Amino acid sequence: MLTTTAAVSCRCFWERNRAVSGFFPRSFSCRAMEVPAGLSAGKESSALPAAAALPNESQPTPATPVQITVLKAQDLKTIKSDVSVTLVRAEYNGAILGDSSKTDVLPDGTANYNFMTSFECSPDGPNSLNDTAQKPVLLTVIEVLQREQRQKEKTVPLGQAVVDLLPLLQGQCSFKVSAPLYAVPTSPLESLHPEAKGGLEVTVCTKEPLLSAAQLSNGNLLSITLEAAYSVPEAFAATGPLQNYMACLQVPAAGEKEFPLLFKNGILKLAGEKEPLPRPKKWPLANIMAPGALSIPNSFIVGGPYEDEDGELNKREDREFRIQAESTKRIVWDMERRCYLDPAAVVILQKRIAECQYWPVEVCGMSVASSSKGKTSKANKGDEDKQIFFHGVAYVNMVPLLCPGVKQIRGAFRVFTYQDSEVFEKTKSQHSVFRDLRAQLSLTKEGSWTPGISTPLSRAVPSKTRKEDKEKMTKDKDSNRRMSNAPKIQLSDATVEAENVTYLSLDGQQYVEAGTFLVMEIKLDKALVPKRLREELTRRVKQMIPPRPPLPPRPAGAKKAVENYHNHVTSIAVAILSEYHELFGKQLPDQGAIDHQTLEEQKRQLNFELNSSGKYFAFKEQLKYAVVKIVREKYLKTTAFETQEQFQSFLSELYVYLMDEMHIALNQLLSEEAASPAPLSRTTEEQLWLFAREAEVNKDYKLASLYHQQRVAQDQRNIQYWLDYGAFCLLLEETTKAQECFQQALSLDPHHIQSLLLCGIVAVMLEHYEEAEIFFEDACCLEPSSIVAWTLSGLFYELQNNNIQAEMAFREAKKLLQAQLAKERSIPEAAEGEEGKKHISAGCVRSPSPGPGECLPERVPDGSADKLSEVVEPALVCVAPEEEATALEAALKAPSPVSGLSQPPCTIFMKAVKFLMKVNAVQFVHRALAHELLSLQGGPSCAYYLALAQTYLLKEDLSKCEECLCEAIRIDYMNPNVWAQKGHLCYLKRDFGEAKECYERTISFVEDAADMHFVYLRLGSIYLEEKEYGRAKQTYLLACKNSASCLTWLGVGIACYRLEEMVEAEDALSEANALSNTNAEVWGYLALICLQGGRQLEAEQCYKYTVKLGLRNDALLREIRAAQQRLGFGNPAPLSTPSGKGPPRRSRPTPARRDPRST
């Protein structure tokens, strides 16, 4: 009913508008028709003048009438029980649009107005699109009191409601709302509940949309919410003259103009409870009588965790200060201002943010003039009383709005002293925005704005510091200032200007001393840079890397059916044979053959037993299912036969086939010598991975590649196997082959994050930057909580000189890291465990260092992405060794924390380094370490030097590696990883004595190093070289206990052989041979043991494989041949002659050893 009424009202409005348009001049405007309060008019007459306004022919853009129809009011009795007659008044942008006719209120509190009025909206007129965005229609319900004899009719405002016109800027031509009606207090002392007590049903419609299709798609809507200023200076007092606390910033508009957004009438609140959350945002209106009507419908301040904010003071250490500041003295606005940005303004906004990332938000206080007795004589004095004081500025980083998909930034921003030079340097703003608003704010004349300095102090709020400095000045100047609050016109004088500069530092400096900060939100209706959708990214990835085809089908149905039939025949035959043994017993071979008559009698008894017991029927039913499967899968018979002849022919053919297959199954069962299956390999995937790592460390890359290929061959659909193989290819700098491996992994799972990141890394190495961007963006989209994904994305964008998106990615990663660390610190058990470890004082016990879950939050200065190109970007690039040396020298000169006094913080870059080192992506490691060099306070950390040393070790730059390890040891002397790396360095330099000391120190720590397996291997080899066989045996046994491999058991076997523990040596070498039967050294020592045991055949076989596999240990080969010459056997070559000592002595039987031909 109401929708129909609204539609009819709109149609009548346009027809009436056309009918009366010829009776009014072209320049007639609705703003001139202000209906006096209390004037009664009919429904037609009250709306007619406002509706008759037509656009001026001289205007470049025609005005669009906006019709407001107030249908009815509801629940008026809840506001005032005895209300009887009311009317409704419509106002917009400070102008009264008209009053409705007087309407009686029904007993249920309803009043039907059906009141129509309108105003014109024009981009160039008084009611612009910006006004439509931020100014609502104000509707006031007025009670008409009964007039007494010879008295004028009285009216009293009853309630107010607001109608938000924002839907008109979102493409709608008409909409209907039920606007809450808030009561107007009858006296200033009356306290009303903010809840609405009534409502107005209102429709808004236009003949055509306010925005064209191009404006709607390319334009935008900017809304800025200023919540409050916290931790304000103590000089702000609630007593004394009234103060108007204001904030303002400028928004770029089309052309060279800038649109100011002014926030006035901030409320100074003393210490007390925090502001409630959520709380409504308020309109920037001053003519509203009902306090509840100031709230914007369906728009709230919801707050959120400090760590998720985009501004400053969002670190963990700022939390306590923020909580305390929110309950102390503060200035509250809670005001939202909106601004429509046409397509040209959107382009200018993007350009301005790209040119200057910081925007100034100026704050100040203005003394409000007291009411003067004389209207004329005191006018000038009232102007002079309005002065600006405490002029400050906050710098808002707008760069996040240029990141794809970002539509909102919210956070706290510190307030600093306003200085023209500093503001111009940071924001390129020529002058204060308040200078352009002097007329609007009725400020002091031009003498108040001296170039380069802020406005002078107000006498109303003196501070202690100001008073102390004033006493140092002359009494004449002091008395002069006290007599007048207005500044002198001669401010251009150098002496007075210097004094004002002094006052400036004292005035604005109080913001810095108090730690004042603004909390505000900047929000766009659409992102300036659209973000690619997840579906689009997935589609692009699939285009670059098509998914792998499905696995080949399982064995054919016919073959599986025949195998099933064989299994059933075999099982039934075994069951019948067991029945035969139960009836007649087992026939032994030495009892001779059974005659034919006896066999026939046994057959008859067996058949009788099977039939009488029901087992025959059970066997037949068991076999029936297998026969049916053969009929369906082998002969493809699933329907009935057409003739009986076809059926009989098929049965004959099937019977012959089943008999043949039955004989095949029985022959396999009853064959005397069945083929033994090949022994299963004892090597697991984890062991293959360990063997590959051992080969990599020993630089046997051919063997390592073989192990990786074996892992992939065992399970080609395992993503981790492909990633490990690709990382190995990166180690060999075979980038194209690594790309194939990573793409193979990604084809198995297009949503695998590590595969996406590694594909992006390889694409960067191959300079396929467009593909790399797709991979990194898809990884962040699929896993937005991945710190490594955001960090690597930032490193990539920095490589592309896209500092805006790089900084955004780094900020997102830091935010995630802070949230992760805060969550980990919330576990009390972890904190107690850390405190308990601090008291360990043994000499060989390492002080606790933070692991991935025990790191401190990082302190990365804002804008580090911009500074990197000037400071560190050319410092560490893996393709330029001379530049790396420069960066290393700078890092070595930087101060470092004292060992044990402070733990290094965990940063996003070290998390990325940890991931990159595992995949041998050295190029990205150096970029991440370059950022790490900037992110820490107090110099590089031990983790930084350790990672840098590992990269140099990979490139075999041993001198630089040694320098880094020396610095790492100086920082953290009790870090086992540092000593392990130094041991590896000395081992490669063949300084075995120093390497031995480092390895022994490493294994003496309570906490193990990351690569203890290789520490044990190399320390054991040093012991063998120095003939300390007992210690070598113990060291290798420790390695076997942690992670057994062919090399660890070989070490045990060698040590036992040298200790003449032949049984243990042979057992250990047999284990080594079982794990890898292609190790020539294992076969060599087995040959020695067999020679010592007198086992000629085994000695010759072991020696044959030793030579065949190419033993490289010349000393061992000479020892074997010397033993062969001494014992006279073991070498099947013709030159070998027996010594005539008789047949070899047979020793204990040896465990089975694997023939290398079986692999």
Side-chain angles (χ1 to χ4, degrees):
M1 179 65 180
L2 293 175
T3 306
T4 306
T5 305
V8 172
S9 302
C10 290
R11 184 163 56 251
C12 294
F13 167 75
W14 299 123
E15 292 175 355
R16 185 166 61 253
N17 192 14
R18 287 196 300 269
V20 301
S21 59
F23 296 98
F24 298 96
R26 293 281 183 179
S27 59
F28 189 83
S29 173
C30 68
R31 295 177 63 87
M33 296 298 296
E34 297 186 3
V35 181
L39 179 64
S40 63
K43 298 178 184 178
E44 300 278 341
S45 61
S46 62
L48 183 60
L54 295 177
N56 194 340
E57 292 179 354
S58 62
Q59 293 180 354
T61 304
T64 302
V66 179
Q67 179 196 353
I68 312 296
T69 303
V70 183
L71 300 176
K72 65 178 180 179
Q74 295 177 336
D75 299 329
L76 292 180
K77 296 286 188 180
T78 60
I79 300 178
K80 188 176 181 181
S81 58
D82 58 347
V83 61
S84 58
V85 180
T86 60
L87 59 88
V88 63
R89 173 175 298 167
E91 302 178 45
Y92 181 72
N93 200 9
I96 298 178
L97 303 181
D99 292 357
S100 71
S101 60
K102 292 182 290 185
T103 304
D104 295 333
V105 179
L106 301 179
D108 60 352
T110 302
N112 297 313
Y113 298 113
N114 293 325
F115 165 63
M116 292 182 293
T117 185
S118 69
F119 66 91
E120 290 182 349
C121 178
S122 173
D124 304 319
N127 299 323
S128 63
L129 295 177
N130 281 331
D131 294 328
T132 306
Q134 68 177 341
K135 296 181 180 179
V137 174
L138 179 60
L139 302 174
T140 306
V141 175
I142 301 175
E143 180 186 8
V144 181
L145 301 178
Q146 295 181 358
R147 58 182 178 180
E148 299 177 359
Q149 295 179 354
R150 298 180 181 180
Q151 287 186 356
K152 294 182 179 181
E153 191 175 55
K154 293 183 179 180
T155 58
V156 176
L158 189 65
Q160 285 186 318
V162 291
V163 178
D164 193 357
L165 301 179
L166 188 62
L168 297 179
L169 298 180
Q170 295 174 340
Q172 299 185 30
C173 292
S174 63
F175 63 92
K176 178 181 177 181
V177 295
S178 179
L181 185 63
Y182 297 91
V184 176
T186 56
S187 66
L189 299 179
E190 181 181 359
S191 61
L192 294 175
H193 295 286
E195 293 82 7
K197 294 185 177 181
L200 291 177
E201 291 189 2
V202 185
T203 60
V204 180
C205 60
T206 59
K207 187 176 181 180
E208 57 187 17
L210 295 184
L211 301 179
S212 63
Q215 288 177 318
L216 191 61
S217 60
N218 300 326
N220 212 327
L221 186 69
L222 173 67
S223 62
I224 299 178
T225 303
L226 181 60
E227 298 180 16
Y230 295 101
S231 187
V232 297
E234 291 296 330
F236 286 16
T239 59
L242 295 177
Q243 308 295 332
N244 186 358
Y245 299 102
M246 299 180 297
C248 187
L249 75 159
Q250 290 182 330
V251 177
E256 297 183 357
K257 285 187 174 183
E258 289 191 340
F259 183 75
L261 295 179
L262 180 64
F263 299 86
K264 300 192 297 183
N265 303 321
I267 302 173
L268 178 64
K269 294 187 177 181
L270 301 180
E273 296 183 358
K274 297 173 58 176
E275 298 296 319
L277 288 175
R279 60 184 185 273
K281 299 179 181 179
K282 298 179 181 179
W283 292 105
L285 302 178
N287 59 337
I288 291 183
M289 295 178 288
L294 277 173
S295 301
I296 302 177
N298 302 321
S299 185
F300 298 93
I301 298 172
V302 295
Y306 302 135
E307 294 79 8
D308 295 343
E309 295 179 352
D310 301 289
E312 307 167 59
L313 299 173
N314 54 3
K315 305 293 190 300
R316 180 174 176 270
E317 54 268 23
D318 302 321
R319 180 179 180 82
E320 184 177 353
F321 169 70
R322 290 283 300 271
I323 295 176
Q324 182 180 1
E326 290 177 358
S327 58
T328 57
K329 187 186 298 185
R330 58 197 179 274
I331 300 174
V332 180
W333 284 274
D334 289 344
M335 187 180 298
E336 180 183 76
R337 298 205 63 135
R338 303 168 182 165
C339 176
Y340 170 73
L341 303 175
D342 58 14
V346 172
V347 175
I348 294 175
L349 177 64
Q350 290 177 315
K351 183 179 178 182
R352 281 288 307 277
I353 297 177
E355 291 175 351
C356 185
Q357 63 176 355
Y358 291 105
W359 280 21
V361 179
E362 300 181 36
V363 293
C364 70
M366 183 182 71
S367 57
V368 180
S370 58
S371 58
S372 56
K373 296 179 181 179
K375 293 183 179 180
T376 305
S377 61
K378 299 294 182 180
N380 293 334
K381 190 176 186 306
D383 268 353
E384 292 179 357
D385 284 340
K386 293 184 178 181
Q387 300 181 45
I388 294 297
F389 66 94
F390 287 104
H391 193 186
V393 61
Y395 301 102
V396 179
N397 186 4
M398 303 285 285
V399 167
L401 292 180
L402 292 185
C403 298
V406 176
K407 299 187 294 184
Q408 172 184 349
I409 56 176
R410 179 186 180 274
F413 303 93
R414 294 184 182 273
V415 179
F416 300 93
T417 306
Y418 185 90
Q419 292 181 343
D420 284 344
S421 58
E422 182 180 352
V423 173
F424 177 76
E425 179 183 355
K426 289 188 175 182
T427 67
K428 310 302 179 186
S429 180
Q430 299 285 349
H431 52 77
S432 171
V433 65
F434 288 121
R435 192 177 75 176
D436 298 333
L437 300 176
R438 284 176 301 185
Q440 179 179 348
L441 300 175
S442 301
L443 295 177
T444 317
K445 301 302 183 280
E446 293 184 6
S448 172
W449 300 95
T450 303
I453 64 172
S454 176
T455 52
L457 264 297
S458 169
R459 302 301 98 200
V461 192
S463 66
K464 294 182 179 180
T465 310
R466 238 181 293 161
K467 291 180 180 179
E468 294 174 357
D469 286 327
K470 285 178 183 178
E471 294 175 3
K472 300 178 182 179
M473 300 183 179
T474 61
K475 294 181 179 180
D476 295 338
K477 292 180 180 179
D478 193 16
S479 60
N480 237 357
R481 290 191 183 90
R482 291 182 179 177
M483 292 181 62
S484 174
N485 286 335
K488 304 271 185 179
I489 299 297
Q490 303 94 321
L491 284 178
S492 60
D493 183 72
T495 304
V496 180
E497 184 173 339
E499 294 174 3
N500 283 332
V501 172
T502 303
Y503 289 141
L504 159 72
S505 61
L506 298 175
D507 186 13
Q509 184 66 21
Q510 296 193 34
Y511 284 125
V512 180
E513 294 174 354
T516 305
F517 60 92
L518 295 177
V519 177
M520 60 187 305
E521 176 191 70
I522 301 175
K523 186 177 181 181
L524 291 166
D525 187 53
K526 294 178 290 186
L528 294 178
V529 181
K531 184 178 181 180
R532 280 186 282 231
L533 298 177
R534 178 175 176 177
E535 293 76 12
E536 180 186 357
L537 292 171
T538 304
R539 179 179 56 81
R540 293 284 300 274
V541 170
K542 288 183 178 180
Q543 289 177 354
M544 292 185 291
I545 306 175
R548 290 192 65 184
L551 286 173
R554 302 178 67 180
K559 182 178 179 181
K560 187 176 181 180
V562 173
E563 291 176 356
N564 189 31
Y565 175 75
H566 286 177
N567 295 333
H568 280 82
V569 169
T570 302
S571 64
I572 293 174
V574 171
I576 294 175
L577 186 60
S578 63
E579 289 290 332
Y580 176 85
H581 290 160
E582 289 180 6
L583 290 175
F584 309 107
K586 290 186 178 182
Q587 185 72 25
L588 298 178
D590 56 353
Q591 293 180 355
I594 304 176
D595 59 320
H596 179 71
Q597 185 178 359
T598 305
L599 287 176
E600 288 294 327
E601 181 63 20
Q602 290 179 353
K603 179 180 177 181
R604 186 185 63 79
Q605 292 181 14
L606 180 62
N607 287 333
F608 175 81
E609 180 66 23
L610 293 177
N611 281 285
S612 60
S613 63
K615 293 180 181 180
Y616 179 85
F617 180 80
F619 292 153
K620 186 178 67 173
E621 291 297 323
Q622 182 180 350
L623 200 60
K624 183 188 296 185
Y625 177 78
V627 174
V628 170
K629 293 294 291 184
I630 288 179
V631 172
R632 293 178 178 177
E633 300 293 337
K634 181 72 177 178
Y635 292 92
L636 305 178
K637 297 294 183 180
T638 57
T639 58
F641 294 90
E642 297 179 356
T643 62
Q644 187 68 20
E645 290 76 14
Q646 292 180 354
F647 177 65
Q648 291 298 329
S649 175
F650 173 74
L651 286 181
S652 300
E653 181 181 358
L654 177 63
Y655 178 79
V656 173
Y657 178 79
L658 292 177
M659 287 296 102
D660 292 341
E661 294 298 324
M662 181 192 70
H663 290 308
I664 293 175
L666 292 177
N667 290 335
Q668 291 178 354
L669 174 65
L670 301 176
S671 60
E672 294 182 358
E673 192 175 26
S676 60
L680 297 176
S681 174
R682 294 176 55 188
T683 307
T684 62
E685 292 80 2
E686 293 78 8
Q687 288 175 328
L688 288 174
W689 164 241
L690 178 61
F691 301 163
R693 286 286 297 129
E694 288 179 340
E696 291 176 19
V697 173
N698 294 330
K699 300 189 183 304
D700 191 350
Y701 298 126
K702 184 177 180 180
L703 181 60
S705 178
L706 177 62
Y707 283 129
H708 281 295
Q709 291 171 7
Q710 287 182 9
R711 291 184 79 208
V712 172
Q714 287 186 5
D715 187 0
Q716 296 186 12
R717 300 193 67 83
N718 191 302
I719 296 176
Q720 191 59 45
Y721 298 170
W722 287 106
L723 297 185
D724 293 337
Y725 193 15
F728 169 72
C729 295
L730 282 183
L731 178 65
L732 302 183
E733 297 183 355
E734 297 177 357
T735 311
T736 304
K737 196 171 183 179
Q739 183 185 35
E740 294 176 359
C741 294
F742 297 147
Q743 290 183 352
Q744 191 75 12
L746 190 59
S747 66
L748 294 173
D749 184 5
H751 297 162
H752 193 255
I753 303 302
Q754 290 188 12
S755 302
L756 285 168
L757 294 177
L758 291 174
C759 285
I761 290 172
V762 175
V764 171
M765 294 179 177
L766 297 175
E767 298 183 357
H768 300 163
Y769 298 116
E770 293 184 2
E771 295 182 6
E773 184 176 6
I774 296 294
F775 289 130
F776 287 126
E777 191 173 348
D778 193 19
C780 294
C781 183
L782 292 173
E783 191 67 33
S785 61
S786 174
I787 299 174
V788 174
W790 284 108
T791 306
L792 294 183
S793 298
L795 294 175
F796 165 73
Y797 287 125
E798 179 197 61
L799 182 65
Q800 297 294 299
N801 295 323
N802 190 344
N803 291 331
I804 293 177
Q805 287 196 254
E807 185 174 351
M808 178 265 184
F810 290 148
R811 284 176 44 250
E812 188 67 25
K814 295 169 191 174
K815 187 186 301 181
L816 292 171
L817 179 61
Q818 291 172 4
Q820 175 184 333
L821 297 178
K823 182 179 179 180
E824 291 171 353
R825 287 190 179 88
S826 63
I827 303 176
E829 291 80 5
E832 294 175 2
E834 290 177 2
E835 291 178 1
K837 291 181 180 179
K838 292 180 181 178
H839 300 288
I840 300 177
S841 58
C844 62
V845 178
R846 178 183 177 270
S847 61
S849 62
E854 301 175 356
C855 302
L856 300 177
E858 59 183 338
R859 296 170 179 245
V860 182
D862 293 336
S864 61
D866 300 333
K867 300 176 184 177
L868 185 64
S869 58
E870 303 176 1
V871 181
V872 185
E873 184 174 3
L876 292 175
V877 181
C878 64
V879 296
E882 65 279 359
E883 295 178 355
E884 292 176 10
T886 305
L888 179 60
E889 293 175 2
L892 295 178
K893 294 178 182 178
S896 302
V898 181
S899 176
L901 295 182
S902 61
Q903 297 297 339
C906 178
T907 65
I908 60 173
F909 304 109
M910 290 311 299
K911 283 185 172 290
V913 166
K914 183 179 179 181
F915 169 78
L916 294 169
M917 287 299 300
K918 290 181 179 179
V919 298
N920 302 315
V922 181
Q923 179 180 355
F924 271 78
V925 169
H926 280 276
R927 291 192 170 275
L929 289 177
H931 276 278
E932 178 71 8
L933 197 59
L934 286 178
S935 64
L936 296 176
Q937 297 180 354
S941 63
C942 176
Y944 168 82
Y945 283 117
L946 184 59
L948 191 59
Q950 290 173 345
T951 61
Y952 288 141
L953 199 61
L954 287 177
K955 296 188 300 179
E956 298 183 359
D957 192 344
L958 304 184
S959 60
K960 291 183 179 179
C961 177
E962 186 174 6
E963 294 180 22
C964 294
L965 289 177
C966 290
E967 287 298 316
I969 291 176
R970 183 173 63 86
I971 296 173
D972 192 352
Y973 189 78
M974 304 183 73
N975 191 324
N977 291 308
V978 177
W979 287 105
Q981 288 298 321
K982 187 175 181 181
H984 297 330
L985 173 66
C986 296
Y987 188 89
L988 294 177
K989 293 169 63 177
R990 304 196 65 81
D991 186 358
F992 296 127
E994 184 68 20
K996 175 183 174 182
E997 294 181 3
C998 294
Y999 288 144
E1000 289 176 345
R1001 184 187 296 270
T1002 302
I1003 64 176
S1004 66
F1005 288 121
V1006 173
E1007 182 180 349
D1008 288 339
D1011 55 350
M1012 289 300 295
H1013 182 79
F1014 301 104
V1015 171
Y1016 289 135
L1017 282 179
R1018 288 179 170 175
L1019 180 60
S1021 67
I1022 294 175
Y1023 285 145
L1024 289 178
E1025 189 72 20
E1026 297 180 353
K1027 299 183 179 181
E1028 299 182 27
Y1029 302 122
R1031 303 183 71 177
K1033 176 183 176 182
Q1034 296 300 323
T1035 303
Y1036 279 118
L1037 285 175
L1038 287 174
C1040 293
K1041 181 180 179 181
N1042 291 338
S1043 50
S1045 68
C1046 175
L1047 297 183
T1048 58
W1049 283 116
L1050 173 61
V1052 175
I1054 295 173
C1056 292
Y1057 176 78
R1058 298 306 180 189
L1059 294 172
E1060 298 183 356
E1061 300 172 355
M1062 296 302 174
V1063 176
E1064 294 183 4
E1066 187 173 1
D1067 290 342
L1069 292 172
S1070 298
E1071 288 292 333
N1073 179 262
L1075 291 174
S1076 176
N1077 61 350
T1078 58
N1079 191 302
E1081 197 167 351
V1082 174
W1083 286 108
Y1085 279 100
L1086 283 173
L1088 283 176
I1089 292 176
C1090 292
L1091 286 171
Q1092 297 293 336
R1095 291 174 285 175
Q1096 180 177 352
L1097 180 61
E1098 295 183 26
E1100 290 179 357
Q1101 185 182 20
C1102 293
Y1103 177 72
K1104 179 181 66 176
Y1105 288 129
T1106 301
V1107 177
K1108 186 176 181 179
L1109 293 173
L1111 180 63
R1112 299 177 184 177
N1113 191 339
D1114 296 334
L1116 177 60
L1117 189 59
R1118 289 193 299 269
E1119 184 179 1
I1120 295 173
R1121 288 176 177 172
Q1124 290 171 348
Q1125 291 291 337
R1126 186 176 69 255
L1127 298 175
F1129 65 91
N1131 189 350
L1135 295 179
S1136 177
T1137 57
S1139 60
K1141 293 185 179 181
R1145 180 174 57 87
R1146 183 165 182 83
S1147 180
R1148 60 184 289 275
T1150 60
R1153 288 183 287 275
R1154 294 172 57 196
D1155 192 321
R1157 292 172 295 181
S1158 66
T1159 51

